[in-house]
Amino acid sequence: MAKKASIKDVAALAGVSPTTVSQVINKKNDHFPEETIERVMDAVRQLGYVPNQSAKSLRGGGNPLIGVMVPSLRNPFFSDLMQSMQNHAHNLADLVFISVDDDEIEQGLLKMLERGVNGLVIARMLPNALEVDRYLQKQGIPYVVLDQINDSNISDHVKTDEFTGGQVVARHLVELGHKKIALLHPDVMTTNMLERISGFTAVIDEQADVEIIEIATKLSKHGGLAIANKVAASGATAAFTLNDEMGIGLLRGLKNGGVRVPEDISVIGYDNTDYAEFTVPSLTTVTQAVWRMGQLALDMVLARLKDPALPMQEEILDVRLIQRESTAPAPTK
Ligand code: RIB
């Protein structure tokens, strides 16, 4: 078996000191030129270096350590996800959670491996899924992709039926007689959201007289708030926000602008996060079985750890419309 690369090997290849390597890997790298950071990360990749695994050996023969990577710790969808895993992990696994931005995925994975994780649940889109797959295979780390799906179905995964989710939203608004619907989506779209939108547009496209007005903003409450005036000015009588967070921000923004929900504009979110039933008006939304998703993902990665030869594991969970106060028949002129 080939000798495992050490931090010294990485340092030698990159032409820097081991301390520099450690600082770059741990992102204490503000004071390094971009070129040094790239050299170090290139050497890490070339050598397939995995930082020291003392955490793993210290844990001895206890529960497996599973790393969970999410895009945000603040978004209630992911809070529920993490809580469901934490509750379920009892006696089965120890968990470590990390949130990473798009440009931090590689560092995040390295950090997890450094902590000695035995498996991973990746609940965020991987722009370079094949590369990540190769890397994790090389390290012998099983992983489950949750809420996203990589193009080529290369790993175990749990997701919801996003296409149906989009359809359910569109049918609800069409049944209420809306003819001009604002679709609020994030500037950067994830694979699951694209599927959600496909379902939505598939239904709208069947209607001769319904128009979609696309508006891009941030996937957050502030994103929804910031865009409220634009939605009101667009003449839309309904708005579909791709998650509840945006929807909640939009409710606030419309209220600030004196626009009544649902009398003037209906608003429908997505996720059924636990704030949705407490807003005024309460938010109509689509529920994803996020609690179940977390449990299944954990079970899958543990099963894969036990038996690496298992056939591909896949779960696609149902979604459901939750009708509340924020949607109503389109206003008559
Ligand atoms: O609010 C977070 C959103 O991003 C959810 O809709 C979830 O599906 C994720 O992709």
Side-chain angles (χ1 to χ4, degrees), residues 71-72 75-78 123-125 146-148 160 162 190-193 196 219 242-246 270-273 286 288 290 293:
S72 158
N75 180 316
F77 173 86
F78 295 106
R124 62 144 21 265
M125 191 176 69
L146 185 151
D147 185 44
Q148 303 294 326
T160 56
E162 299 276 2
T190 54
T191 50
N192 65 328
M193 289 189 172
R196 206 172 283 173
L219 187 69
L242 278 193
N243 77 351
D244 283 0
E245 290 266 272
M246 274 178 165
Y270 204 98
D271 287 347
N272 195 27
T273 50
V286 171
Q288 311 200 60
V290 62
M293 286 169 93

Side-chain angles (χ1 to χ4, degrees), residues 6-281:
S6 71
I7 196 163
K8 282 189 186 154
D9 299 327
V10 176
L13 184 62
V16 297
S17 70
T19 314
T20 302
V21 174
S22 159
Q23 289 180 337
V24 169
I25 286 173
N26 290 303
K27 266 213 143 181
K28 294 179 185 135
N29 54 8
D30 297 348
H31 52 295
F32 293 123
E34 199 51 41
E35 185 255 335
T36 306
I37 298 173
E38 270 170 27
R39 263 205 338 265
V40 170
M41 294 314 288
D42 270 356
V44 164
R45 269 190 295 269
Q46 272 185 50
L47 297 172
Y49 170 65
V50 180
N52 115 47
Q53 301 211 350
S54 52
K56 192 176 194 168
S57 37
L58 279 176
R59 283 198 349 275
N63 288 336
L65 181 64
I66 305 299
V68 183
M69 189 186 267
V70 296
S72 158
L73 299 171
R74 290 186 76 194
N75 180 316
F77 173 86
F78 295 106
S79 313
D80 276 354
L81 180 74
M82 291 186 287
Q83 190 65 58
S84 73
M85 297 180 85
Q86 186 66 54
N87 291 6
H88 190 56
H90 191 64
N91 283 338
L92 294 174
D94 296 333
L95 302 177
V96 52
F97 299 103
I98 185 174
S99 74
V100 289
D101 281 336
D102 284 345
D103 58 349
E104 296 174 332
I105 295 174
E106 198 176 321
Q107 311 264 5
L109 287 173
L110 275 173
K111 215 165 215 157
M112 293 280 208
L113 298 193
E114 186 182 23
R115 288 194 191 180
V117 294
N118 304 98
L120 287 168
V121 174
I122 303 179
R124 62 144 21 265
M125 191 176 69
L126 293 174
N128 46 358
L130 280 169
E131 242 175 71
V132 169
D133 184 68
R134 264 197 299 273
Y135 179 69
L136 292 177
Q137 292 228 22
K138 193 165 163 193
Q139 306 301 334
I141 302 291
Y143 70 100
V144 173
V145 170
L146 185 151
D147 185 44
Q148 303 294 326
I149 173 97
N150 39 51
D151 302 337
S152 29
N153 261 357
I154 47 179
S155 64
D156 296 331
H157 55 270
V158 182
K159 64 187 287 271
T160 56
D161 184 350
E162 299 276 2
F163 191 85
T164 301
Q167 286 182 310
V168 159
V169 171
R171 283 194 195 115
H172 178 58
L173 296 179
V174 167
E175 275 162 25
L176 290 171
H178 294 281
K179 304 284 181 209
K180 213 171 189 186
I181 303 171
L183 167 63
L184 271 65
H185 60 76
D187 313 287
V188 181
M189 214 86 85
T190 54
T191 50
N192 65 328
M193 289 189 172
L194 286 170
E195 231 176 294
R196 206 172 283 173
I197 292 180
S198 305
F200 179 74
T201 48
V203 171
I204 301 295
D205 286 350
E206 286 165 5
Q207 319 297 316
D209 55 350
V210 181
E211 181 193 347
I212 299 177
I213 303 162
E214 280 197 41
I215 302 179
T217 186
K218 291 213 159 31
L219 187 69
S220 65
K221 290 189 276 298
H222 285 99
L225 178 71
I227 218 72
N229 289 342
K230 198 167 177 180
V231 174
S234 72
T237 61
F240 170 31
T241 63
L242 278 193
N243 77 351
D244 283 0
E245 290 266 272
M246 274 178 165
I248 289 170
L250 180 62
L251 287 182
R252 167 49 56 193
L254 292 173
K255 169 88 182 162
N256 291 351
V259 180
R260 297 165 309 156
V261 177
E263 294 84 349
D264 305 322
I265 297 187
S266 286
V267 175
I268 180 164
Y270 204 98
D271 287 347
N272 195 27
T273 50
D274 60 355
Y275 297 112
E277 66 177 297
F278 297 104
T279 54
V280 181

